[in-house]
């Protein structure tokens, strides 16, 4: 057995040598390499052993190594052999597994395995196959199936590739040598662990001497100092990656990198010329542009922006300069009005300074230029000597009095003549006039300080040569006061004097007012028009007021209810003015403490403790009694003349326009409402006269008694002449005329044919007070016939 084992090992080695000698060389002139037999996957690991049985066994490599190739001819991979194969034609070799029959083919008689197609390690690195020996006639297996592996060995058949290219990078201009720009990356599909097929080395083909690249890390760096963006902004760099460690025979790939130099503020602004000159009109408006200057900057973006300023030549602070955000120009504008007559030109020094400072160059940078501004004379309106004038005039000034004068002058070189006018919108009443040539203002209408103390007018000055040149000035005219108004009572006083007052009691305190306004204030003097008035006197209170005093205590309402006291008030003006004012004093009944209770004469004639209501009740009873006696005397007299021959007309006179017996204050107006219309009613509106009535003093009896008849006559006389006493004239508003009275017509034309008589029996049902009245109006049979 030991000798058979060695014999089998020798046969395997010879087979491997034979197959190795048969393998063709590839393009790198490398021989096909075979590995020693490996332990079968279905056998225990006991070193290199040969599958054997009592008299037979398999003989082949269980792993074959084959380089990837691209040749058109088949290539021998290896050979299978069994010890049963003694030249017996009934043995058949069968191959199964990955690629069997397509990529790999086996000679069923000899057991030779060939690769029929191109093998690419990058697509598949190894194949697992199964070998078996069967009987050709019966297809029965002669040996158990066993697996083996064909491994594809890498060759350098893939060049490096830059998957992310082309690249772009940027670096600030003037960067130092060694400043990193960007990094590139190449990949190689070959096996990185076998040989040098995937070991890459980077180099620059184009872009030197400006840039360099690290051959291992592929970082591109600045290789030249002082690169200026303003000279050249963009560079194209070609990078190469080569495998095999850069040695001869290696494959390579390239890519491009576009490197852009970014701007830094390394250039100052520069004016296009050293001096500018502008001519602007004198009447150029505030804020209007007068000229433009431009400082150019070779930088871009924020680095090219500049701010402009005036550093000299503008002592009056007339100009300002601002930057146009779109064009980066400096715009000269006016801050104050120009005056050709005072200054005809300006020489300004303007500076342009970069807004942004750069940390590399240290900026900012600036440049300056001279700007000469020539003022062009313009036709301007006249100029008043003052913007506002103030004049004084007394209110008694005569018409055409000169109040004051205004003056304006044309300051242009032409010195045009000026005309003056009053703006009548400010003097609607044409109170003043003005001389068009010399500007003198005169009075056109009389003045009254008490009506208007101030007059504000506008005066215009117009050039004769150019009427469109107009200027205006305000003229304030103050009207000075003169003593032309007499003093008068401060209010309409009404004094009350108590009957039981004492002599010397103060009845009323009087003060006065004056429409004039003297500079030293008012001082009034009072006196009675009747110097020796028997009833009243006055006392000076030393504060421009007086007190009216009673001289005696015998004032009685039954003698005189009202006293009119004329008082003369005089001021201390030049000349003095005075007026007579009348104080009305009413005599009233007062309580013991001086409180006024009643100022009417009726309070005197009524008995003590008898009220007005009680008096009315007494009067009603008296009238009722008198009426009862009258009806008793004429009870049996017929109401109509019975004598047929007496054809005289009976004239009945009424003193009022009344609307019938029901037209009274107590009449219910609701009876005239339209039952089919609205539910409400319009109320009665009594109109009380505004006229105040002063009661007259009636005749009276002596103090020892009261004459009732005389009292009634006095009261009737007062009522007849008092327009404020009720009943007032009233307005009755009816919303409906009614449907007709159930009583029928009230016309006298149908009286003869009417059978109805008035029945007053219901008066007896009203009580004892009306029973007698009902008897008086009862009608007998004899009266009915009449």
């Amino acid at each position: 057995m030991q000798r058979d084992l060695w014999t089998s090992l020798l046969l395997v080695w010879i087979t491997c040598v034979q197959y190795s000698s048969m393998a063709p060389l590839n393009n790198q002139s490398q021989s096909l390499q075979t590995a020693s037999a490996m332990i079968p996957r279905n056998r225990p690991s006991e070193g290199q052993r040969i599958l054997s049985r009592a008299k037979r066994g398999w003989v082949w490599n269980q792993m074959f190594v084959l380089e990837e190739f691209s040749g058109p001819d088949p290539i021998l991979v290896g050979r299978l052999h069994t010890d049963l194969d003694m030249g017996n034609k009934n043995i058949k070799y069968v191959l199964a597994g990955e690629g069997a029959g397509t990529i790999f083919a086996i000679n069923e008689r000899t057991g030779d395995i060939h690769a029929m197609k191109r093998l690419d390690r990058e697509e598949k690195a190894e194949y697992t196959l199964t070998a078996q020996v069967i009987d050709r006639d019966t297809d029965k297996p002669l040996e158990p199936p066993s697996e083996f592996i064909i491994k594809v060995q890498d060759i350098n058949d893939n060049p490096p590739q830059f998957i992310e290219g082309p690249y772009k990078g940027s670096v600030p201009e003037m960067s130092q040598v060694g400043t990193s720009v960007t990094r590139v990356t190449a990949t190689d599909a070959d096996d990185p662990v076998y040989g040098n097929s995937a070991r890459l080395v980077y180099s620059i083909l184009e872009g030197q001497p400006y840039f360099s690249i690290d051959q291992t890390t592929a970082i591109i760096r600045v290789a030249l100092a002082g690169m200026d963006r303003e000279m050249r902004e963009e560079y194209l760099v070609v990078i190469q990656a080569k495998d095999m460690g850069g040695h001869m025979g290696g494959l390579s790939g390239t890519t491009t990198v576009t490197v852009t130099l970014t701007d830094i503020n390394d250039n100052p602004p520069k004016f296009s010329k050293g001096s500018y000159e502008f001519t602007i009109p004198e009447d150029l408006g505030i804020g209007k542009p007068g000229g433009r200057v431009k400082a150019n900057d070779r930088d871009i973006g924020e680095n090219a922006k500049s701010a402009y300023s005036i550093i000299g030549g503008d002592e009056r602070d007339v100009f300002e300069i601002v930057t146009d955000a779109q064009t980066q120009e400096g715009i000269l504008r006016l801050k104050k009005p120009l005056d050709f007559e005072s200054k005809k030109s300006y020489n300004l020094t303007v500076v342009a300074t970069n807004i942004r400072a750069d940390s590399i160059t240290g900026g900012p940078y600036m440049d300056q230029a001279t700007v000469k501004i020539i003022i062009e004379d313009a036709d301007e309106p006249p100029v008043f000597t003052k913007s506002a004038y103030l004049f004084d005039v007394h209110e008694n000034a005569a018409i055409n009095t000169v109040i004051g004068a205004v003056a304006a002058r044309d300051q242009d070189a032409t010195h045009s003549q000026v005309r003056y006018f009053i703006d009548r919108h400010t003097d609607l009443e044409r109170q003043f006039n003005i001389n068009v040539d010399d500007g003198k203002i005169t009075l056109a209408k009389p003045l009254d300080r008490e009506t208007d103390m101030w007059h504000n007018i506008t005066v215009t000055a117009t050039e004769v040569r150019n009427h469109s040149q107009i200027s205006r000035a305000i003229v304030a005219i103050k009207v000075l006061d003169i003593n032309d108004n007499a003093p008068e009572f401060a209010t309409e006083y009404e004094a009350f004097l108590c009957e039981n007052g004492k002599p010397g009691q103060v009845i009323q305190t009087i003060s006065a007012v004056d429409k004039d306004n003297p500079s030293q204030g008012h001082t009034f003097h009072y006196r009675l028009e009747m110097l020796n008035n028997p009833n009243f006197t006055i006392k000076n209170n030393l504060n421009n007021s007086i007190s009216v005093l009673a001289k005696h205590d015998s004032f009685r309402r039954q003698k005189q209810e009202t006293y009119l006291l004329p008082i003369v008030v005089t001021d201390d003006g030049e000349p003095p003015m005075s007026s007579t004012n009348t104080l009305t004093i009413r005599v009233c009944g007062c309580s013991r403490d001086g409180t006024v209770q009643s100022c009417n004469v009726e309070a005197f004639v009524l008995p003590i403790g008898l009220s007005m209501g009680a008096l009315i009740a007494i009067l009603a009873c008296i009238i009722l009694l008198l009426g009862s006696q009258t009806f008793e005397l004429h009870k049996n007299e017929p109401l109509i003349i019975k004598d047929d021959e007496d054809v005289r007309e009976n004239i009945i006179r009424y003193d009022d326009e009344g609307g019938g017996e029901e037209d009274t204050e107590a009449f219910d107006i609701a009876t005239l409402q339209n039952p089919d219309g609205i539910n409400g009613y319009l109320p009665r509106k009594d109109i009380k006269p505004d006229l105040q009535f002063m009661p007259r003093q009636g005749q009276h009896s002596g103090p020892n008694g009261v004459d009732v008849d005389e009292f009634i006559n006095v009261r009737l006389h007062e009522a007849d002449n008092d327009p404020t006493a009720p009943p007032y004239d009233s307005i009755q508003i009816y919303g409906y005329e009614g449907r007709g009275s159930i009583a029928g017509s009230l016309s006298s034309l149908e009286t003869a044919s009417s059978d109805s008589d008035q029945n007053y029996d219901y008066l007896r049902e009203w009580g004892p007070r009306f029973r007698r009245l009902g008897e008086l109006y009862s009608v007998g049979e004899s009266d009915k016939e009449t």
Side-chain angles (χ1 to χ4, degrees):
M1 290 294 297
Q2 187 174 6
R3 187 178 62 179
D4 294 337
L5 177 62
W6 283 106
T7 302
S8 299
L9 290 174
L10 179 61
L11 291 174
V12 170
W13 180 80
I14 293 173
T15 303
C16 290
V17 171
Q18 290 176 349
Y19 279 106
S20 298
S21 62
M22 294 173 64
L25 295 176
N26 59 7
N27 55 348
Q28 285 84 20
S29 301
Q30 295 180 349
S31 301
L32 179 65
Q33 298 179 3
T34 59
S36 62
M38 298 184 63
I39 301 172
R41 295 183 183 181
N42 56 355
R43 305 285 293 178
S45 177
E46 298 178 359
Q48 293 183 354
R49 299 183 59 184
I50 299 297
L51 181 63
S52 64
R53 294 183 180 181
K55 292 183 179 181
R56 57 187 179 181
W58 281 99
V59 181
W60 79 95
N61 283 339
Q62 288 188 304
M63 176 178 286
F64 298 97
V65 178
L66 180 66
E67 286 186 345
E68 57 183 339
F69 74 100
S70 59
D73 299 329
I75 184 171
L76 179 63
V77 178
R79 175 176 292 174
L80 301 179
H81 185 71
T82 177
D83 56 1
L84 297 178
D85 187 5
M86 303 300 293
N88 189 355
K89 296 182 180 180
N90 292 332
I91 294 176
K92 180 180 181 180
Y93 294 93
V94 178
L95 186 65
E98 297 177 338
T102 56
I103 300 176
F104 301 101
I106 187 170
N107 190 319
E108 60 183 16
R109 294 186 178 276
T110 63
D112 294 340
I113 301 173
H114 289 83
M116 307 301 294
K117 293 184 178 181
R118 179 182 181 274
L119 298 177
D120 189 354
R121 186 201 65 85
E122 286 72 36
E123 294 182 2
K124 191 172 181 62
E126 64 180 20
Y127 299 86
T128 300
L129 299 171
T130 302
Q132 193 172 17
V133 180
I134 63 175
D135 185 277
R136 183 182 298 272
D137 297 330
T138 62
D139 291 334
K140 293 182 179 181
L142 299 178
E143 296 283 356
S146 184
E147 289 183 353
F148 66 94
I149 296 173
I150 299 176
K151 184 176 181 180
V152 181
Q153 182 174 293
D154 183 48
I155 64 173
N156 189 21
D157 59 344
N158 290 284
Q161 293 182 349
F162 292 91
I163 305 301
E164 299 178 358
Y167 296 86
K168 290 184 178 180
S170 62
V171 66
E173 61 176 329
M174 299 296 176
S175 295
Q176 297 180 358
V177 174
T179 302
S180 176
V181 178
T182 187
R183 180 178 181 177
V184 297
T185 302
T187 59
D188 196 317
D190 294 327
D191 190 356
V193 299
Y194 179 77
N196 295 326
S197 297
R199 189 164 70 89
L200 305 181
V201 174
Y202 298 90
S203 61
I204 291 183
L205 299 182
E206 294 182 18
Q208 295 175 335
Y210 308 106
F211 302 97
S212 64
I213 188 170
D214 189 296
Q215 65 177 2
T216 302
T217 62
I219 297 176
I220 301 174
R221 302 179 185 274
V222 174
L224 183 65
M227 287 193 294
D228 190 359
R229 186 201 66 82
E230 286 72 33
M231 297 296 295
R232 181 177 178 182
E233 183 176 7
E234 191 173 272
Y235 296 83
L236 184 64
V237 181
V238 179
I239 303 296
Q240 181 190 63
K242 188 174 183 181
D243 59 12
M244 298 298 292
H247 295 295
M248 183 70 66
L251 302 179
S252 64
T254 59
T255 188
T256 59
V257 181
T258 302
V259 180
T260 303
L261 298 183
T262 58
D263 186 58
I264 64 172
N265 190 15
D266 59 340
N267 291 281
K270 187 69 176 177
F271 283 103
S272 57
K273 51 186 177 180
S275 62
Y276 297 83
E277 183 174 312
F278 302 107
T279 300
I280 60 177
E282 179 185 9
D283 56 355
L284 184 68
I286 302 298
K288 299 295 183 180
R292 289 174 176 258
V293 297
K294 178 67 180 295
N296 299 308
D297 197 322
R298 297 178 63 191
D299 297 322
I300 60 175
E302 294 293 326
N303 296 323
K305 293 183 178 180
S306 298
Y308 298 87
S309 60
I310 300 173
I311 63 173
D314 189 20
E315 294 79 9
R316 299 186 180 184
D317 196 23
V318 177
F319 299 94
E320 65 177 354
I321 187 168
V322 296
T323 304
D324 188 325
Q326 301 296 328
T327 64
Q328 290 298 306
E329 293 177 307
I331 305 174
L332 281 167
R333 299 191 309 192
L334 280 183
K335 292 173 60 180
K336 296 179 181 179
L338 296 172
D339 186 8
F340 172 81
E341 287 70 28
S342 61
K343 192 172 180 62
K344 297 177 174 57
S345 65
Y346 294 84
N347 291 305
L348 308 179
T349 301
V350 178
V351 173
T353 306
N354 279 152
I355 297 175
R356 185 175 181 180
D358 196 285
S359 59
I360 298 177
T361 59
Y365 299 104
M366 62 179 62
D367 191 22
Q368 70 179 31
T370 301
V371 179
K372 183 176 182 179
I373 298 176
I374 300 174
I375 309 302
E376 186 180 58
D377 188 22
D379 190 7
E380 298 175 290
V383 179
F384 280 95
T385 56
K386 298 179 182 179
S387 59
Y389 295 84
L390 176 63
F391 301 127
D392 296 334
V393 60
H394 286 86
E395 60 179 322
N396 63 342
I399 303 299
N400 296 326
T401 298
V402 176
I403 300 173
V406 298
R409 181 177 178 271
D410 182 17
Q411 296 184 352
D412 296 327
T414 57
H415 297 295
S416 175
Q417 191 175 356
V418 177
R419 294 286 184 265
Y420 303 93
F421 304 93
I422 293 177
D423 186 352
R424 291 304 178 183
H425 292 91
T426 61
D427 185 26
L428 297 176
E429 298 182 358
R430 296 185 176 270
Q431 190 77 51
F432 306 96
N433 290 325
I434 191 171
N435 190 300
V436 296
D437 295 320
D438 57 16
K440 291 182 179 179
I441 300 174
T442 58
L443 186 63
K445 291 183 180 180
L447 297 170
D448 184 5
R449 188 201 68 85
E450 286 70 37
T451 302
D452 290 307
M453 184 177 178
W454 286 93
H455 295 270
N456 295 312
I457 62 175
T458 299
V459 176
T460 61
T462 306
E463 290 183 8
V464 175
R465 185 178 56 85
N466 186 357
H467 295 289
S468 63
Q469 299 298 331
I470 302 174
S471 59
R472 290 173 171 80
I474 302 298
V475 178
I477 300 174
K478 182 180 181 181
V479 182
L480 302 178
D481 186 43
I482 63 170
N483 192 30
D484 58 345
N485 290 279
E488 57 187 12
F489 280 178
T491 185
E492 294 184 3
Y493 294 101
E494 184 178 10
F496 300 93
L497 174 62
C498 292
E499 288 182 309
N500 56 354
K502 297 179 180 179
Q505 72 177 16
V506 177
I507 301 173
Q508 182 68 47
T509 299
I510 302 295
S511 61
V513 293
D514 196 329
K515 294 181 180 179
D516 297 322
N517 187 22
S519 58
Q520 302 299 326
H522 290 290
T523 300
F524 300 122
H525 306 280
Y526 301 86
R527 65 180 177 85
L528 296 178
E529 190 177 54
M530 181 185 295
L531 297 179
N532 296 322
N533 192 296
N535 298 314
F536 306 100
T537 185
I538 59 175
K539 181 185 71 172
N540 191 347
N541 295 329
L542 303 179
N543 60 355
N544 271 347
S545 68
I546 60 170
S547 296
V548 179
L549 309 177
K551 281 189 173 183
H552 55 81
D553 58 355
S554 59
F555 295 98
R556 295 294 181 268
R557 282 176 289 170
Q558 67 274 22
K559 292 182 180 180
Q560 186 172 347
E561 289 186 70
T562 304
Y563 292 89
L564 301 177
L565 182 62
I567 300 175
V568 180
V569 185
T570 307
D571 60 21
D572 58 350
E574 292 293 337
M577 301 290 291
S578 63
S579 66
T580 301
N581 301 265
T582 301
L583 175 65
T584 302
I585 303 174
R586 298 181 64 185
V587 181
C588 304
C590 302
S591 62
R592 292 183 178 180
D593 59 357
T595 303
V596 176
Q597 293 181 335
S598 177
C599 297
N600 295 328
V601 69
E602 66 180 15
F604 177 79
V605 300
L606 290 176
I608 298 176
L610 188 61
S611 64
M612 177 61 73
L615 178 60
I616 293 174
I618 293 173
L619 292 176
C621 292
I622 294 173
I623 294 172
L624 185 59
L625 291 175
L626 294 176
S628 299
Q629 293 177 2
T630 303
F631 281 115
E632 186 68 25
L633 294 176
H634 299 283
K635 177 180 178 181
N636 296 322
E637 294 181 0
L639 297 177
I640 302 176
I641 300 176
K642 295 182 179 180
D643 190 358
D644 296 334
E645 296 178 356
D646 189 355
V647 294
R648 292 174 298 175
E649 294 181 352
N650 295 316
I651 301 174
I652 301 175
R653 298 182 179 179
Y654 299 94
D655 293 332
D656 63 320
E657 298 179 358
E661 59 182 309
E662 292 182 346
D663 188 11
T664 63
E665 285 291 325
F667 177 70
D668 185 6
I669 196 172
T671 59
L672 294 181
Q673 291 295 324
N674 184 356
D676 301 328
I678 59 175
N679 294 325
Y681 63 89
L682 299 175
R684 179 178 183 137
K685 297 183 179 179
D686 293 333
I687 301 175
K688 183 176 181 180
D690 295 331
L691 178 63
Q692 298 297 322
F693 175 71
M694 297 299 295
R696 292 186 176 182
Q697 181 179 0
Q699 296 180 355
H700 57 82
S701 61
N704 295 328
V706 178
D707 189 343
V708 176
D709 182 57
E710 182 180 0
F711 172 74
I712 292 174
N713 291 331
V714 170
R715 300 306 295 167
L716 288 174
H717 179 74
E718 290 179 355
D720 291 340
N721 293 277
D722 184 2
T724 64
Y728 317 120
D729 289 339
S730 63
I731 300 176
Q732 298 288 355
I733 301 174
Y734 303 103
Y736 180 60
E737 294 182 358
R739 295 178 172 175
S741 173
I742 59 174
S745 175
L746 298 179
S747 173
S748 61
L749 297 176
E750 298 179 358
T751 302
S753 61
S754 176
D755 295 333
S756 63
D757 293 321
Q758 182 67 38
N759 188 0
Y760 295 97
D761 292 339
Y762 64 89
L763 294 176
R764 296 188 179 94
E765 298 174 1
W766 286 9
R769 296 182 179 179
F770 296 91
R771 185 175 296 115
R772 179 60 180 167
L773 186 61
E775 293 174 356
L776 292 175
Y777 278 89
S778 296
V779 180
E781 294 296 332
S782 59
D783 294 333
K784 291 181 179 180
E785 295 177 358
T786 304

